[in-house]
Amino acid sequence: MLNLILFGPPGSGKGTQAAKLVDEYQLLHISTGDLFRYEMGNNTPLGLEAKSYIEKGELVPDSVTIGMLRNKVEANPDVMGYIFDGFPRTETQAEALNTLLAELGEELTVLLALDVDDEEIISRILERGKTSGRPDDNDESIIRNRIEVYNRETAPVFDYYDSFGKSEKIDGIGTIEEIFDRLVATIQTRI
Ligand code: UDP
Ligand code: MG
């Protein structure tokens, strides 16, 4: 299997590139943010719990997120591989993902980190907010908090996988096709 983490700050293009990578490699796309929005849309208990964090730009607690991710993976064992988008967001989540993949006799192929600076990210998210219907995309103070949380809690996940030689940084500025070509070129060096 080909197991990818698409990594990077909010608004760095993970969702856009994940959709293209799914087409290219026939992977199952798992976006924990999308899973939470689906639960919120249905007002499930999980959705209501997630909403209380997401509306502030905070992280949903690890135990909740890891449980949801595990269910999704275990429900889809017969796939060519997984592309994790927006997960893991903490080192604890990264360790849980390692355990889960090991249970499947699998391991991570590579973490691909989209590199985009903060000002570019804020302007992209505010632009996306005009049409995404996401309250967390419409308020600059929430966006800034998401970036702070990313820098504090999530950025260390890059170093964690880097210590196993599994992290790659990709220039996230350019056209969608240019960035996609960079991602594919990097994946090809790993398979
Ligand atoms: N979120 C979370 N854990 C996750 C995924 C999402 O806590 O594993 C929350 C967090 O509050 C985040 C929001 O959901 O700010 C939106 O996540 P998403 O990944 O959709 O946003 P992105 O970072 O891609 O803009
Ligand atoms: Mg996203």
Side-chain angles (χ1 to χ4, degrees), residues 66 70 74 92-107 160-161:
I66 291 166
R70 176 177 274 275
E74 288 179 345
T92 302
Q93 292 180 12
E95 283 163 2
L97 180 60
N98 278 355
T99 303
L100 177 57
L101 289 174
E103 284 170 18
L104 300 173
E106 288 293 327
E107 59 177 312
Y160 173 80
Y161 285 106

Side-chain angles (χ1 to χ4, degrees), residues 10-11 14-15 31 33-34 37 85-86 89 128 134:
K14 301 186 293 291
S31 159
D34 289 350
R37 280 185 287 278
D85 161 2
R89 264 179 154 88
R128 179 173 77 184
R134 286 176 50 173

Side-chain angles (χ1 to χ4, degrees), residues 35-50:
L35 293 173
F36 284 132
R37 280 185 287 278
Y38 176 81
E39 299 288 335
M40 291 191 288
N42 289 302
N43 282 311
T44 65
L46 173 59
L48 292 173
E49 183 177 7

